[in-house]
PDB file of all heavy atoms in Angstrom:
ATOM      1  N   ILE O  31       4.058   5.393   3.815  1.00  0.00           N
ATOM      2  CA  ILE O  31       2.771   5.110   3.162  1.00  0.00           C
ATOM      3  C   ILE O  31       1.632   5.706   3.993  1.00  0.00           C
ATOM      4  O   ILE O  31       0.711   6.330   3.460  1.00  0.00           O
ATOM      5  CB  ILE O  31       2.584   3.587   2.950  1.00  0.00           C
ATOM      6  CG1 ILE O  31       3.610   3.082   1.920  1.00  0.00           C
ATOM      7  CG2 ILE O  31       1.158   3.266   2.492  1.00  0.00           C
ATOM      8  CD1 ILE O  31       3.595   1.584   1.685  1.00  0.00           C
ATOM      9  N   ILE O  43      -6.752   4.317   9.034  1.00  0.00           N
ATOM     10  CA  ILE O  43      -5.606   3.541   8.536  1.00  0.00           C
ATOM     11  C   ILE O  43      -5.433   2.338   9.449  1.00  0.00           C
ATOM     12  O   ILE O  43      -5.214   2.512  10.667  1.00  0.00           O
ATOM     13  CB  ILE O  43      -4.303   4.375   8.570  1.00  0.00           C
ATOM     14  CG1 ILE O  43      -4.400   5.545   7.588  1.00  0.00           C
ATOM     15  CG2 ILE O  43      -3.091   3.512   8.259  1.00  0.00           C
ATOM     16  CD1 ILE O  43      -3.203   6.472   7.631  1.00  0.00           C
ATOM     17  N   MET O 113     -15.481 -24.545  17.611  1.00  0.00           N
ATOM     18  CA  MET O 113     -16.381 -23.874  18.564  1.00  0.00           C
ATOM     19  C   MET O 113     -17.792 -23.870  18.028  1.00  0.00           C
ATOM     20  O   MET O 113     -17.998 -23.907  16.802  1.00  0.00           O
ATOM     21  CB  MET O 113     -15.983 -22.403  18.731  1.00  0.00           C
ATOM     22  CG  MET O 113     -14.807 -22.175  19.622  1.00  0.00           C
ATOM     23  SD  MET O 113     -14.571 -20.386  19.708  1.00  0.00           S
ATOM     24  CE  MET O 113     -13.264 -20.299  20.817  1.00  0.00           C
ATOM     25  N   LEU O 119     -20.094 -16.432  19.952  1.00  0.00           N
ATOM     26  CA  LEU O 119     -20.814 -15.217  20.361  1.00  0.00           C
ATOM     27  C   LEU O 119     -20.299 -14.705  21.718  1.00  0.00           C
ATOM     28  O   LEU O 119     -20.029 -13.510  21.891  1.00  0.00           O
ATOM     29  CB  LEU O 119     -22.314 -15.516  20.412  1.00  0.00           C
ATOM     30  CG  LEU O 119     -23.209 -14.294  20.545  1.00  0.00           C
ATOM     31  CD1 LEU O 119     -24.461 -14.453  19.670  1.00  0.00           C
ATOM     32  CD2 LEU O 119     -23.637 -14.063  21.969  1.00  0.00           C
ATOM     33  N   ASP O 147     -24.211 -18.036   8.490  1.00  0.00           N
ATOM     34  CA  ASP O 147     -25.677 -17.998   8.535  1.00  0.00           C
ATOM     35  C   ASP O 147     -26.108 -16.548   8.801  1.00  0.00           C
ATOM     36  O   ASP O 147     -25.755 -15.975   9.854  1.00  0.00           O
ATOM     37  CB  ASP O 147     -26.128 -18.947   9.662  1.00  0.00           C
ATOM     38  CG  ASP O 147     -27.623 -18.815   9.935  1.00  0.00           C
ATOM     39  OD1 ASP O 147     -28.305 -18.061   9.205  1.00  0.00           O
ATOM     40  OD2 ASP O 147     -28.092 -19.452  10.905  1.00  0.00           O
ATOM     41  N   ALA O 157     -25.426  -8.462  19.590  1.00  0.00           N
ATOM     42  CA  ALA O 157     -24.740  -8.649  20.882  1.00  0.00           C
ATOM     43  C   ALA O 157     -23.479  -7.787  20.973  1.00  0.00           C
ATOM     44  O   ALA O 157     -23.207  -7.179  22.019  1.00  0.00           O
ATOM     45  CB  ALA O 157     -24.383 -10.124  21.057  1.00  0.00           C
ATOM     46  N   PRO O 177     -22.472  -9.322  -6.074  1.00  0.00           N
ATOM     47  CA  PRO O 177     -23.026  -8.020  -5.684  1.00  0.00           C
ATOM     48  C   PRO O 177     -24.451  -8.136  -5.144  1.00  0.00           C
ATOM     49  O   PRO O 177     -24.799  -7.484  -4.137  1.00  0.00           O
ATOM     50  CB  PRO O 177     -22.991  -7.217  -6.993  1.00  0.00           C
ATOM     51  CG  PRO O 177     -21.844  -7.808  -7.756  1.00  0.00           C
ATOM     52  CD  PRO O 177     -21.864  -9.276  -7.428  1.00  0.00           C
ATOM     53  N   GLU O 178     -25.280  -8.985  -5.764  1.00  0.00           N
ATOM     54  CA  GLU O 178     -26.686  -9.087  -5.317  1.00  0.00           C
ATOM     55  C   GLU O 178     -26.742  -9.672  -3.900  1.00  0.00           C
ATOM     56  O   GLU O 178     -27.488  -9.195  -3.038  1.00  0.00           O
ATOM     57  CB  GLU O 178     -27.499  -9.983  -6.260  1.00  0.00           C
ATOM     58  CG  GLU O 178     -27.655  -9.449  -7.681  1.00  0.00           C
ATOM     59  CD  GLU O 178     -26.392  -9.597  -8.542  1.00  0.00           C
ATOM     60  OE1 GLU O 178     -25.490 -10.388  -8.170  1.00  0.00           O
ATOM     61  OE2 GLU O 178     -26.293  -8.904  -9.574  1.00  0.00           O
ATOM     62  N   VAL O 225     -16.079   1.416   3.667  1.00  0.00           N
ATOM     63  CA  VAL O 225     -15.527   0.440   2.733  1.00  0.00           C
ATOM     64  C   VAL O 225     -14.065   0.207   3.105  1.00  0.00           C
ATOM     65  O   VAL O 225     -13.309   1.162   3.287  1.00  0.00           O
ATOM     66  CB  VAL O 225     -15.602   0.949   1.277  1.00  0.00           C
ATOM     67  CG1 VAL O 225     -14.880  -0.006   0.335  1.00  0.00           C
ATOM     68  CG2 VAL O 225     -17.052   1.107   0.846  1.00  0.00           C
ATOM     69  N   ILE O 229      -4.645   0.071  -1.449  1.00  0.00           N
ATOM     70  CA  ILE O 229      -4.191   0.786  -2.643  1.00  0.00           C
ATOM     71  C   ILE O 229      -3.676  -0.259  -3.651  1.00  0.00           C
ATOM     72  O   ILE O 229      -2.977  -1.197  -3.289  1.00  0.00           O
ATOM     73  CB  ILE O 229      -3.062   1.781  -2.273  1.00  0.00           C
ATOM     74  CG1 ILE O 229      -3.587   2.819  -1.283  1.00  0.00           C
ATOM     75  CG2 ILE O 229      -2.482   2.442  -3.523  1.00  0.00           C
ATOM     76  CD1 ILE O 229      -4.715   3.700  -1.783  1.00  0.00           C
ATOM     77  N   TYR O 255     -24.829   7.120  -7.220  1.00  0.00           N
ATOM     78  CA  TYR O 255     -24.769   6.674  -5.823  1.00  0.00           C
ATOM     79  C   TYR O 255     -25.281   7.742  -4.850  1.00  0.00           C
ATOM     80  O   TYR O 255     -25.742   7.409  -3.754  1.00  0.00           O
ATOM     81  CB  TYR O 255     -23.337   6.259  -5.456  1.00  0.00           C
ATOM     82  CG  TYR O 255     -22.907   4.992  -6.157  1.00  0.00           C
ATOM     83  CD1 TYR O 255     -22.072   5.031  -7.266  1.00  0.00           C
ATOM     84  CD2 TYR O 255     -23.357   3.745  -5.722  1.00  0.00           C
ATOM     85  CE1 TYR O 255     -21.692   3.865  -7.922  1.00  0.00           C
ATOM     86  CE2 TYR O 255     -22.986   2.573  -6.373  1.00  0.00           C
ATOM     87  CZ  TYR O 255     -22.153   2.638  -7.467  1.00  0.00           C
ATOM     88  OH  TYR O 255     -21.793   1.484  -8.107  1.00  0.00           O
ATOM     89  N   MET O 279       5.331  -4.725  -5.970  1.00  0.00           N
ATOM     90  CA  MET O 279       4.219  -5.311  -6.728  1.00  0.00           C
ATOM     91  C   MET O 279       3.830  -4.377  -7.864  1.00  0.00           C
ATOM     92  O   MET O 279       3.201  -3.322  -7.622  1.00  0.00           O
ATOM     93  CB  MET O 279       3.023  -5.563  -5.814  1.00  0.00           C
ATOM     94  CG  MET O 279       3.339  -6.613  -4.778  1.00  0.00           C
ATOM     95  SD  MET O 279       1.877  -7.176  -3.950  1.00  0.00           S
ATOM     96  CE  MET O 279       1.017  -8.034  -5.232  1.00  0.00           C
ATOM     97  N   PRO O 283      -0.635  -2.878 -16.520  1.00  0.00           N
ATOM     98  CA  PRO O 283      -0.799  -1.667 -17.339  1.00  0.00           C
ATOM     99  C   PRO O 283      -2.254  -1.291 -17.583  1.00  0.00           C
ATOM    100  O   PRO O 283      -2.577  -0.106 -17.667  1.00  0.00           O
ATOM    101  CB  PRO O 283      -0.117  -2.036 -18.661  1.00  0.00           C
ATOM    102  CG  PRO O 283       0.795  -3.165 -18.325  1.00  0.00           C
ATOM    103  CD  PRO O 283       0.203  -3.887 -17.159  1.00  0.00           C
ATOM    104  N   ALA O 292      -4.348   3.423 -18.485  1.00  0.00           N
ATOM    105  CA  ALA O 292      -5.735   3.778 -18.131  1.00  0.00           C
ATOM    106  C   ALA O 292      -6.215   5.037 -18.849  1.00  0.00           C
ATOM    107  O   ALA O 292      -7.413   5.227 -19.040  1.00  0.00           O
ATOM    108  CB  ALA O 292      -5.882   3.935 -16.619  1.00  0.00           C
ATOM    109  N   SER O 297      -6.459   3.720 -30.534  1.00  0.00           N
ATOM    110  CA  SER O 297      -7.140   3.677 -31.832  1.00  0.00           C
ATOM    111  C   SER O 297      -7.298   5.086 -32.408  1.00  0.00           C
ATOM    112  O   SER O 297      -7.515   6.064 -31.669  1.00  0.00           O
ATOM    113  CB  SER O 297      -8.514   3.003 -31.666  1.00  0.00           C
ATOM    114  OG  SER O 297      -9.537   3.945 -31.850  1.00  0.00           O
ATOM    115  N   PHE O 337      10.976  23.070  -7.473  1.00  0.00           N
ATOM    116  CA  PHE O 337      10.956  21.609  -7.333  1.00  0.00           C
ATOM    117  C   PHE O 337       9.826  21.186  -6.386  1.00  0.00           C
ATOM    118  O   PHE O 337       9.041  20.280  -6.679  1.00  0.00           O
ATOM    119  CB  PHE O 337      12.309  21.127  -6.804  1.00  0.00           C
ATOM    120  CG  PHE O 337      12.396  19.636  -6.694  1.00  0.00           C
ATOM    121  CD1 PHE O 337      12.544  18.846  -7.827  1.00  0.00           C
ATOM    122  CD2 PHE O 337      12.295  19.006  -5.465  1.00  0.00           C
ATOM    123  CE1 PHE O 337      12.597  17.460  -7.734  1.00  0.00           C
ATOM    124  CE2 PHE O 337      12.345  17.626  -5.360  1.00  0.00           C
ATOM    125  CZ  PHE O 337      12.504  16.853  -6.506  1.00  0.00           C
ATOM    126  N   LEU O 344       2.377  17.081  -8.828  1.00  0.00           N
ATOM    127  CA  LEU O 344       2.302  15.674  -9.241  1.00  0.00           C
ATOM    128  C   LEU O 344       1.547  14.821  -8.222  1.00  0.00           C
ATOM    129  O   LEU O 344       1.477  13.598  -8.365  1.00  0.00           O
ATOM    130  CB  LEU O 344       3.715  15.121  -9.471  1.00  0.00           C
ATOM    131  CG  LEU O 344       4.456  15.750 -10.671  1.00  0.00           C
ATOM    132  CD1 LEU O 344       5.864  15.185 -10.799  1.00  0.00           C
ATOM    133  CD2 LEU O 344       3.691  15.537 -11.968  1.00  0.00           C
ATOM    134  N   VAL O 353      12.891  13.770   3.030  1.00  0.00           N
ATOM    135  CA  VAL O 353      12.626  13.083   1.755  1.00  0.00           C
ATOM    136  C   VAL O 353      12.727  14.094   0.611  1.00  0.00           C
ATOM    137  O   VAL O 353      13.377  13.858  -0.407  1.00  0.00           O
ATOM    138  CB  VAL O 353      11.243  12.405   1.770  1.00  0.00           C
ATOM    139  CG1 VAL O 353      10.881  11.850   0.404  1.00  0.00           C
ATOM    140  CG2 VAL O 353      11.206  11.288   2.811  1.00  0.00           C
ATOM    141  N   LEU O 354      12.119  15.270   0.824  1.00  0.00           N
ATOM    142  CA  LEU O 354      12.185  16.324  -0.207  1.00  0.00           C
ATOM    143  C   LEU O 354      13.631  16.740  -0.456  1.00  0.00           C
ATOM    144  O   LEU O 354      14.041  16.931  -1.608  1.00  0.00           O
ATOM    145  CB  LEU O 354      11.380  17.539   0.251  1.00  0.00           C
ATOM    146  CG  LEU O 354       9.939  17.572  -0.215  1.00  0.00           C
ATOM    147  CD1 LEU O 354       9.220  18.745   0.419  1.00  0.00           C
ATOM    148  CD2 LEU O 354       9.850  17.687  -1.745  1.00  0.00           C
ATOM    149  N   SER O 372      11.910  15.409 -16.882  1.00  0.00           N
ATOM    150  CA  SER O 372      10.478  15.258 -17.136  1.00  0.00           C
ATOM    151  C   SER O 372       9.702  14.964 -15.844  1.00  0.00           C
ATOM    152  O   SER O 372      10.300  14.669 -14.801  1.00  0.00           O
ATOM    153  CB  SER O 372      10.244  14.099 -18.111  1.00  0.00           C
ATOM    154  OG  SER O 372      10.545  12.902 -17.439  1.00  0.00           O
ATOM    155  N   LEU O 394      28.158   3.034  -1.640  1.00  0.00           N
ATOM    156  CA  LEU O 394      28.984   2.968  -2.849  1.00  0.00           C
ATOM    157  C   LEU O 394      29.949   4.140  -2.903  1.00  0.00           C
ATOM    158  O   LEU O 394      29.554   5.295  -2.790  1.00  0.00           O
ATOM    159  CB  LEU O 394      28.058   3.012  -4.075  1.00  0.00           C
ATOM    160  CG  LEU O 394      28.758   3.063  -5.432  1.00  0.00           C
ATOM    161  CD1 LEU O 394      29.520   1.776  -5.708  1.00  0.00           C
ATOM    162  CD2 LEU O 394      27.746   3.323  -6.550  1.00  0.00           C
ATOM    163  N   VAL O 420      36.545  -0.850   1.349  1.00  0.00           N
ATOM    164  CA  VAL O 420      37.025  -2.133   0.835  1.00  0.00           C
ATOM    165  C   VAL O 420      36.829  -2.148  -0.685  1.00  0.00           C
ATOM    166  O   VAL O 420      35.804  -1.700  -1.200  1.00  0.00           O
ATOM    167  CB  VAL O 420      36.329  -3.327   1.554  1.00  0.00           C
ATOM    168  CG1 VAL O 420      34.857  -3.143   1.621  1.00  0.00           C
ATOM    169  CG2 VAL O 420      36.646  -4.649   0.894  1.00  0.00           C
ATOM    170  N   GLY O 428      27.948 -11.504 -17.134  1.00  0.00           N
ATOM    171  CA  GLY O 428      27.587 -10.233 -17.773  1.00  0.00           C
ATOM    172  C   GLY O 428      28.055  -9.126 -16.845  1.00  0.00           C
ATOM    173  O   GLY O 428      28.522  -9.409 -15.731  1.00  0.00           O
ATOM    174  N   GLU O 505      19.849  -9.422   9.179  1.00  0.00           N
ATOM    175  CA  GLU O 505      20.025 -10.613   8.353  1.00  0.00           C
ATOM    176  C   GLU O 505      21.239 -10.434   7.447  1.00  0.00           C
ATOM    177  O   GLU O 505      21.238  -9.576   6.570  1.00  0.00           O
ATOM    178  CB  GLU O 505      18.798 -10.855   7.452  1.00  0.00           C
ATOM    179  CG  GLU O 505      17.504 -11.081   8.189  1.00  0.00           C
ATOM    180  CD  GLU O 505      17.386 -12.456   8.834  1.00  0.00           C
ATOM    181  OE1 GLU O 505      18.374 -13.224   8.811  1.00  0.00           O
ATOM    182  OE2 GLU O 505      16.315 -12.751   9.377  1.00  0.00           O
TER     183      GLU O 505
END
Side-chain angles (χ1 to χ4, degrees):
I31 293 176
I43 294 176
M113 282 182 177
L119 192 140
D147 171 4
E178 295 76 17
V225 173
I229 299 298
Y255 291 102
M279 295 193 68
S297 111
F337 183 75
L344 293 178
V353 173
L354 267 174
S372 70
L394 175 66
V420 48
E505 299 285 6

